[in-house]
Amino acid sequence: MTDPLTTGATIGILGGGQLGRMLSVAASRLGFRTCIFEPGADCPASHVANRHIQAPYEDERALRDFAASVDVITYEFENIPTSALDILEALKPVHPDRIALRVSQDRMVEKAFLNDLGLQTAPFAAVDDPADLARAMSEIGLPAILKTRRFGYDGKGQARIINPEDTDQALMDMAGAPAILEGFVDFTHEVSVIGARNTAGDVSCFDPGENVHEGGILRTTTIPARLSAAQRTDAVLLAGKILNKLDYVGVMGVELFVTTDGLIVNEIAPRVHNSGHWTQQGCSVDQFEQHIRAVAGWPLGDGSRHTDVVMENLIGDDMDRVPDLARDPAVSLHLYGKAEVKEGRKMGHANRVITKP
Amino acid sequence: MTDPLTTGATIGILGGGQLGRMLSVAASRLGFRTCIFEPGADCPASHVANRHIQAPYEDERALRDFAASVDVITYEFENIPTSALDILEALKPVHPDRIALRVSQDRMVEKAFLNDLGLQTAPFAAVDDPADLARAMSEIGLPAILKTRRFGYDGKGQARIINPEDTDQALMDMAGAPAILEGFVDFTHEVSVIGARNTAGDVSCFDPGENVHEGGILRTTTIPARLSAAQRTDAVLLAGKILNKLDYVGVMGVELFVTTDGLIVNEIAPRVHNSGHWTQQGCSVDQFEQHIRAVAGWPLGDGSRHTDVVMENLIGDDMDRVPDLARDPAVSLHLYGKAEVKEGRKMGHANRVITKP
């Protein structure tokens, strides 16, 4: 276990989107400075950081400069090139570490890891060519979903196969990338657990939230999720199992399908997670501060929920609703300062506090 | 009434201390950028701002650059030189405006303004020389307190006069600055009201908090304050009266002495106030966001208190307690990122949420 970082230490964050932005604000509350590494100019995180190093992830000199100017390194997205990680982890601690990244960057490795832990996933098979796909379909059955093994997010890199005629288009959608065929899971709803583990090995999980997606993008998270007490316990236990097995440090998002046969792990994300934004209004320590505490070697905060919340993403033109939302006494707004509104772009979110009757 | 600012607009903040820091974070939540004007290097607000213009308040070119790069100007302290204000307000809206500054910068003007409004203050008289002081003492009586009319904060620029022999030392303490003699007020405790008013003229006040000072510096604010329902109403009404009379835009701190003869106004501060830090944990919209909403032409947020809180300032060596405070599940920490711990220096604060039995 490392010594906890103290006021004035610098947290390095790879990626400068809204997650990096809210991590940076959380770091400031604990007296830390932040340095953002992000290829894009004028990124949301840079607005609230001490420094923004604008360089591609292939720029070794910039990566060394970044490592030299920070005390610990973390990230807001899991698709960090291995070459960048090789350079950085030789110079400064990186949390979560490369084992967590290796597992979560590849859907095949991820599912095999989860099955090895005794956790249920959708049935799956690797697909590198048409012959693989034919074999996988006969094994798993249809409908199924073909996904790239890496770099998928918000429904990108996915193709549904309802009938055998869909296979050619689905393979084309993969554009030659290694893929995985996943069987459809007959689930009633999706929930996620935001778990945290620190350098001392303490584990703490926020209450599970219930997610609704639209067009592959998270639309709302509602707390509490519809779960029985047994399911709730299951969800937290399996998240703890994953965190401990990986000797994980930081916050992780674990997406779960709720089925009549129990909880099925959809995917894990080695970072703060969109479905954990409700914690900003629901808990005294939110997921962003929890993550900073973990990577800084601090004790975890108390993530108890004091209020029910519905988190709603503001996507694209939803920004037109901001004036009305600003007038709603139950709503806390979190806007990301993105200059341009685009269709499907996450512009902010609104946490609606639910007062019990 | 001006059009509300939208995502991407820039809030200019004069002063880069902890108040500017927390204003900057609140501005980011609403999608705004911030530019800090502050003579000191590496100031707390600069860690979470888009830009820091480091220049003295006498630097006209820097002031013009500042005004050109922002959409609205506000400040974290009331002692802004008039010359700087002359330049800035010709270029961009400044909230709160110079009338609020003129009233609150000078204890004589402030008290006369309050009395004209029908509000009670301590008895007072101007003191420019020994003859004034003798006259004032015979009028007001002893004990009394001699204060510089301007630039006093945290108990600085004040001298108590208990016996007539204290007068020479008290006058020396003023160092020739224009002063005011104030009679002692026989109060049971001090409370403060944090009020807000926006460009549409809407007024909203947070619940009054009860303040305890040590050595002239605020030590704790406890919510709710010990006040009867009538006193609570009085406190809010008089704050509203002040805000409306000044046609004020922004958040104001109003310090009140509680006496058996009613509430006596101690002083007003035309800015977010240390005694309002509890709102970060007690309300869904805190004083910093409320101030940004007001100066940005937004509707005010709902400042209802959902939780009781004790705010404690972390001053100087109190920082040694941070590891213990970080482990306390009832405490939310707010550290200011100041590099050097000094005696009497405000390094952060801890908001302790009080759970009712």
Side-chain angles (χ1 to χ4, degrees):
Chain A
M1 175 175 175
T2 42
D3 279 340
L5 297 181
T6 55
T7 284
T10 302
I11 314 281
I13 301 173
L14 296 162
Q18 62 266 21
L19 301 180
R21 177 179 175 97
M22 293 183 277
L23 284 170
S24 199
V25 165
S28 83
R29 272 204 304 273
L30 302 181
F32 299 127
R33 294 152 187 267
T34 49
C35 178
I36 307 295
F37 193 102
E38 157 69 49
D42 189 34
C43 59
S46 71
H47 301 180
V48 286
N50 283 68
R51 189 175 170 209
H52 171 204
I53 297 178
Q54 192 195 336
Y57 289 105
E58 294 70 36
D59 184 335
E60 185 174 335
R61 185 197 293 249
L63 288 167
R64 289 184 183 282
D65 174 21
F66 173 70
S69 71
V70 305
D71 295 287
V72 66
I73 295 169
T74 189
Y75 42 86
E76 60 147 25
F77 74 118
E78 56 269 45
N79 291 318
I80 298 156
T82 309
S83 57
L85 209 58
D86 289 339
I87 294 165
L88 295 174
E89 71 174 13
L91 297 168
K92 286 290 157 64
V94 178
H95 297 307
D97 67 11
R98 71 185 307 140
I99 299 165
L101 278 170
R102 193 185 303 132
V103 167
S104 58
Q105 279 179 342
D106 185 319
R107 294 183 193 279
M108 280 294 295
V109 179
E110 184 180 70
K111 285 196 163 47
F113 164 78
L114 294 166
N115 288 171
D116 283 351
L117 262 185
L119 305 178
Q120 291 189 79
T121 63
F124 64 96
V127 172
D128 291 328
D129 55 40
D132 285 345
L133 182 53
R135 204 158 34 234
M137 288 197 307
S138 72
E139 201 178 290
I140 292 169
L142 291 186
I145 186 157
L146 191 64
K147 300 179 177 178
T148 55
R149 287 173 59 166
R150 301 192 54 172
F151 305 119
Y153 73 97
D154 285 352
K156 292 188 172 70
Q158 304 195 2
R160 287 178 182 224
I161 305 182
I162 310 294
N163 306 302
E165 304 86 73
D166 300 333
T167 54
D168 288 353
Q169 182 61 48
L171 274 171
M172 289 222 300
D173 286 352
M174 299 300 107
I180 178 175
L181 188 74
E182 296 181 12
F184 262 35
V185 174
D186 184 21
F187 63 95
T188 53
H189 51 297
E190 187 205 288
V191 301
S192 55
V193 178
I194 309 297
R197 188 174 177 277
N198 68 4
T199 49
D202 304 322
V203 170
S204 176
C205 292
F206 293 100
D207 280 348
E210 181 170 334
N211 304 324
V212 174
H213 292 81
E214 263 177 40
I217 305 179
L218 182 67
R219 183 77 226 175
T220 61
T221 301
T222 300
I223 307 295
R226 286 173 297 158
L227 290 173
S228 66
Q231 287 171 320
R232 209 172 292 275
T233 308
D234 257 9
V236 168
L237 287 179
L238 74 81
K241 208 167 182 178
I242 296 169
L243 292 166
N244 283 326
K245 181 68 179 181
L246 293 172
D247 200 15
Y248 190 87
V249 173
V251 159
M252 171 182 279
V254 181
E255 292 182 11
L256 302 168
F257 294 135
V258 182
T259 78
T260 47
D261 296 330
L263 300 174
I264 291 183
V265 185
N266 178 28
E267 62 179 34
I268 62 176
R271 53 170 170 78
V272 289
H273 197 258
N274 195 165
S275 68
H277 291 357
W278 67 271
T279 58
Q280 293 171 315
Q281 261 60 49
C283 308
S284 68
V285 169
D286 66 23
Q287 67 163 345
F288 302 100
E289 179 171 331
Q290 199 71 301
H291 186 76
I292 296 295
R293 281 172 170 254
V295 304
W298 278 40
L300 295 177
D302 183 359
S304 305
R305 171 172 57 92
H306 55 65
T307 319
D308 293 353
V309 181
V310 178
M311 188 286 305
E312 182 190 10
N313 273 335
L314 302 176
I315 300 167
D317 288 340
D318 286 341
M319 287 297 281
D320 296 341
R321 292 167 46 213
V322 164
D324 284 338
L325 290 168
R327 256 176 221 98
D328 189 330
V331 165
S332 291
L333 274 171
H334 300 264
L335 304 181
Y336 307 150
K338 295 180 184 177
E340 208 185 334
V341 177
K342 282 188 199 166
E343 200 191 322
R345 188 177 220 186
K346 292 177 180 170
M347 304 298 296
H349 65 274
N351 283 332
R352 181 179 298 274
V353 166
I354 307 301
T355 311
K356 284 165 196 151
Chain B
M1 175 175 176
T2 43
D3 279 341
L5 297 181
T6 55
T7 285
T10 302
I11 314 280
I13 301 173
L14 296 162
Q18 61 268 19
L19 301 181
R21 178 179 175 97
M22 292 183 279
L23 283 170
S24 200
V25 164
S28 83
R29 272 204 305 272
L30 301 182
F32 299 127
R33 293 152 187 267
T34 50
C35 178
I36 308 295
F37 192 102
E38 157 69 48
D42 189 32
C43 59
S46 70
H47 300 181
V48 286
N50 282 68
R51 188 175 170 210
H52 170 203
I53 296 179
Q54 192 194 336
Y57 290 104
E58 294 71 36
D59 185 335
E60 185 174 334
R61 184 197 294 249
L63 289 167
R64 288 183 183 282
D65 174 20
F66 173 70
S69 70
V70 304
D71 297 286
V72 66
I73 295 169
T74 188
Y75 43 85
E76 61 147 24
F77 75 119
E78 56 269 44
N79 291 317
I80 298 156
T82 310
S83 57
L85 210 58
D86 289 341
I87 295 166
L88 295 174
E89 69 175 15
L91 298 167
K92 286 288 157 65
V94 179
H95 297 307
D97 69 10
R98 70 187 305 142
I99 298 165
L101 279 170
R102 194 187 302 133
V103 166
S104 58
Q105 279 180 343
D106 185 318
R107 294 183 194 279
M108 281 293 295
V109 180
E110 182 180 71
K111 283 194 164 50
F113 164 78
L114 293 166
N115 288 171
D116 285 352
L117 263 185
L119 306 177
Q120 292 190 78
T121 64
F124 64 97
V127 172
D128 290 329
D129 56 39
D132 285 346
L133 182 52
R135 207 163 28 237
M137 287 196 309
S138 72
E139 201 179 290
I140 292 168
L142 291 186
I145 186 158
L146 192 64
K147 300 178 177 179
T148 54
R149 286 173 58 167
R150 300 193 54 172
F151 306 120
Y153 71 98
D154 285 352
K156 292 187 172 73
Q158 302 196 3
R160 286 177 183 225
I161 304 182
I162 311 294
N163 306 303
E165 303 88 73
D166 300 334
T167 53
D168 288 355
Q169 182 59 48
L171 275 171
M172 289 220 301
D173 287 351
M174 298 301 105
I180 178 174
L181 189 73
E182 296 182 11
F184 262 38
V185 174
D186 185 22
F187 64 94
T188 53
H189 51 296
E190 187 204 289
V191 301
S192 54
V193 178
I194 309 298
R197 189 174 177 277
N198 67 5
T199 48
D202 303 323
V203 171
S204 175
C205 292
F206 293 102
D207 280 348
E210 181 169 334
N211 303 325
V212 174
H213 293 81
E214 264 177 39
I217 305 178
L218 183 66
R219 183 78 228 176
T220 61
T221 300
T222 300
I223 306 296
R226 286 172 298 157
L227 289 174
S228 67
Q231 287 171 320
R232 208 172 292 274
T233 307
D234 257 8
V236 169
L237 287 179
L238 74 80
K241 209 166 181 178
I242 296 169
L243 291 166
N244 283 325
K245 181 68 179 179
L246 292 171
D247 201 14
Y248 191 87
V249 172
V251 159
M252 172 183 280
V254 181
E255 293 182 11
L256 302 168
F257 294 135
V258 182
T259 78
T260 47
D261 294 332
L263 300 174
I264 292 183
V265 185
N266 178 28
E267 61 180 36
I268 63 176
R271 53 171 169 79
V272 289
H273 197 258
N274 195 164
S275 69
H277 291 359
W278 68 269
T279 57
Q280 293 171 314
Q281 261 60 49
C283 307
S284 67
V285 169
D286 67 22
Q287 67 164 347
F288 302 101
E289 179 170 333
Q290 200 70 301
H291 185 77
I292 297 294
R293 281 171 170 255
V295 304
W298 278 41
L300 296 177
D302 181 0
S304 305
R305 171 172 57 91
H306 55 66
T307 320
D308 293 353
V309 181
V310 178
M311 187 288 305
E312 182 189 10
N313 272 336
L314 302 176
I315 300 167
D317 289 340
D318 286 341
M319 285 297 281
D320 297 341
R321 291 166 47 213
V322 165
D324 284 339
L325 290 168
R327 256 177 222 99
D328 189 329
V331 165
S332 291
L333 275 171
H334 299 265
L335 304 181
Y336 307 150
K338 295 181 183 177
E340 208 185 333
V341 177
K342 281 189 197 164
E343 201 190 322
R345 187 177 222 187
K346 291 176 181 170
M347 304 298 297
H349 66 274
N351 283 333
R352 181 179 299 274
V353 166
I354 307 301
T355 312
K356 283 165 196 151

